[in-house]
Amino acid sequence: MKLTFLLLLAAFIGTNAVALPFQKLKNDTISAPFNKDFVYHVKKMHAEITIDGQIDEPDWLAAEKADNFYKVLPVDTGFATQPSEILITYDDKALYMAQIFYDTIPGKRVMESYRRDFSFGNNDNLLVFFDTFLDQTNGFSFGVSASGAKWDGTMSDGSAVNLDWDCKWESKTKHYDDRWVTEMRIPFKSIRYPSGSRKWYTNFSRLDLKANEKSSWAPVPRQFPTASLAYTGVMNFEEPLPKSKMMFSLIPYVFGGYSNDFEHGTGNVWKKDFGFDAKVGFSSSMNLDLTYNPDFAQVEVDQQVTNIDRFELFFPEKRQFFLENSDLFSGFGDNNINPFFSRRIGLDAPVLAGARLSGKVGNNWRVGFMNMATKETNDFLARNFTVASIQKKVFARSNFGFILVNKEYIDQPSDTTMYNRVAGFDYNLASKDNIWNGKFFYHQSFQPGNPDKQFAQGFGLTYNTKNLQLEIMQRSVGENYRAEAGYVPRTGYNYISPEVTYLFVPNKKVVSHGIVVDFRYYFDPDFHKIDHENNISYQFEFQNRSSLVFGYQDHFVELQQDFDPTHKSESFLPAGSKYNFGGAFINYTSTRKTLFNWNAEIAKGTFYTGNIQYITGELGYRYQPYVNLSVNFNYTDMKLGQPFEHTKMWLVGPKMDVTFTDKLFWTTFVQYNEQIDNMNINMRLQWRYAPVSDFFVVYTDNYLPGSWNSRNRALVLKLTYWLN
């Protein structure tokens, strides 16, 4: 505890030492976006605006209109079928936005639910993207669906939006026969921007499912998302924005619960405790997050999958503390060589406390620092995790960065030295028009008693136009590379993967179609081939946004370790054995504008020593906007021959998501998984009784199929309140 306190204090002092005078942007170092001629002038307010969904105040009548939205999908030529208008104004405390989306096509507007951070493709919606630091890489996104559900997230990597970030803002949506209208008020203290700003980069995006169109104010090529910050327009404020002040938010929480692990005979265990999160905004661009005794029981449960792979599966981080500016910590390497993966923290021991500093220093520098401590358990010593990173923008939209990750055991025996460290360098390439993207990285691990070959290196380059996409990926990972706080499912290999996609865009009932050829080759350190996966497929995208893909996969594997493809047998395939197998597949995704929607993939072919066939997908039906019913499913049938038994495995996950209002939600998720002989029930009630303040009730039960005896059971109550 003493160590953690000192680390938090050091982080606090270090943050105060940041050279805040360098926060002011210098215009001569800012590169203009591709759509620099799309300019919106924001006038300052002269009276009050009531957020009621009625656009009738004088400041709205005087505001400039952003209209004439350009089509992005199904094709990026011409204007959208149905008109759209955006109005913006501001005062000394907040930004105000009004949206008017005209809609005269017969039929109900598509609105899935009232749930915050709605699914983009399942709702008519407005999304807004703000690049407040003019770097065309990072920013903030806000939006509303036709039901009035909110969307907010942080942006990184030029277009990625992380929706697990929430802030305080308000909106109101109203429906009329020929249009739907929203007013929004976003406090300046909820987002970060340079002191004295008079310019942001921005774009506005509309998804109109009834018209089968996606459109934007500043035009975006169809191969890119409308969130692409390379294609924003410019928003000029009439007067400089208010100078940011030091902000402080405290989020205390109390929680209590009951649990019983029947398998291990623990009996009834009752728990009550408290903790807090805190946010300290030292400037409009630098933020310190603190946490003590966090509890993550309210985090959504992972969707299970049937595992027939040889390597560890990846499940995304969902805990909010780790998510703001998360690319500064988790954006190094690539999907299969990541030196820091925050889910390693708290995976096998409770988190005691932590601090996270992140933000910008000056025009072109970003910094990140995280320090987390976990408690000692019967199985593990207390551990400390430290991550430090720095990133420098170069050229129009590229950057390079350095990262240092340290995992160290606390109060370890005097005759041992236990730690794991990784240092790395990454260069990320992004051209001004986003057509060229790439990455190069080199990482080195350090661990006592571990010999050489502790390196990981990778390179990638992508060329992306409307018709043609070319990609080349390369990796080399040393046999002794260890990133214990990261995600590295395999080591000791060299990898090369070229991919070619060519699309025809006729813009008829079939909007686009084309071929994809993908080769993936793995070699051992001596460049002897140990794996390949070659894929060829043909894809169709239809006017109603449904899609069809079919193709063939060819595999070769020389096992480096014993392997059981079923993950439930006592038999295995021996290391050193070689296999050639492959099969055909077909995948279909239906339109999302109908109340019933579905997707499915069917595959059949050879698999190691035998045959495999499977069907996987999801069925969904909505009673909009209150109830969403869905079932994800997977049926796998493997006949591997002796000594393996004929294996059939079902995974079925029915889910009911009820949004009574925009403040009261109830989710029930049941997952029956034959591969691990378990049925899990997870029920979660969330009441947002005040802005970003919640009361949660979470119930979890695991059963043993067959006898239906309970394996373990838990009930948790948690209350949070945001003070600022």
Side-chain angles (χ1 to χ4, degrees), residues 570-610:
E570 295 182 359
S571 303
F572 60 84
L573 303 174
S577 54
K578 301 178 183 180
Y579 306 92
N580 283 284
F581 54 92
F585 70 91
I586 184 168
N587 181 294
Y588 179 76
T589 301
S590 73
T591 179
R592 296 294 169 175
K593 66 180 183 178
T594 55
L595 296 180
F596 173 74
N597 52 80
W598 62 281
N599 68 81
E601 179 172 298
I602 302 174
K604 181 171 181 156
T606 55
F607 190 61
Y608 291 97
T609 58

Side-chain angles (χ1 to χ4, degrees), residues 305-311 313 563-567 581 607-608 612 614 634 636-638 647 649 675:
V305 297
T306 299
N307 182 14
I308 57 174
D309 199 2
R310 289 170 289 152
F311 306 104
L313 299 178
F563 175 54
D564 168 22
T566 71
H567 289 274
F581 54 92
F607 190 61
Y608 291 97
I612 188 172
Y614 69 80
N634 179 284
T636 301
D637 183 350
M638 278 190 284
T647 302
M649 297 180 294
Q675 187 176 42

Side-chain angles (χ1 to χ4, degrees), residues 441-513:
F441 64 87
Y442 183 86
H443 303 159
Q444 183 80 32
S445 67
F446 306 89
Q447 188 163 324
N450 202 8
D452 57 3
K453 299 183 180 178
Q454 295 193 55
F455 69 92
Q457 170 270 323
F459 165 81
L461 187 64
T462 300
Y463 174 76
N464 194 359
T465 65
K466 181 188 298 185
N467 301 103
L468 179 65
Q469 179 176 315
L470 303 174
E471 182 175 346
I472 181 76
M473 295 288 295
Q474 175 271 328
R475 299 188 206 109
S476 293
V477 184
E479 299 166 69
N480 298 307
Y481 179 70
R482 300 288 182 270
E484 293 183 1
Y487 177 76
V488 185
R490 64 188 295 183
T491 59
Y493 69 93
N494 298 289
Y495 171 83
I496 186 75
S497 174
E499 181 177 336
V500 179
T501 301
Y502 190 85
L503 295 178
F504 302 91
V505 188
N507 188 28
K508 296 179 180 179
K509 288 186 177 181
V510 176
V511 175
S512 69
H513 61 92

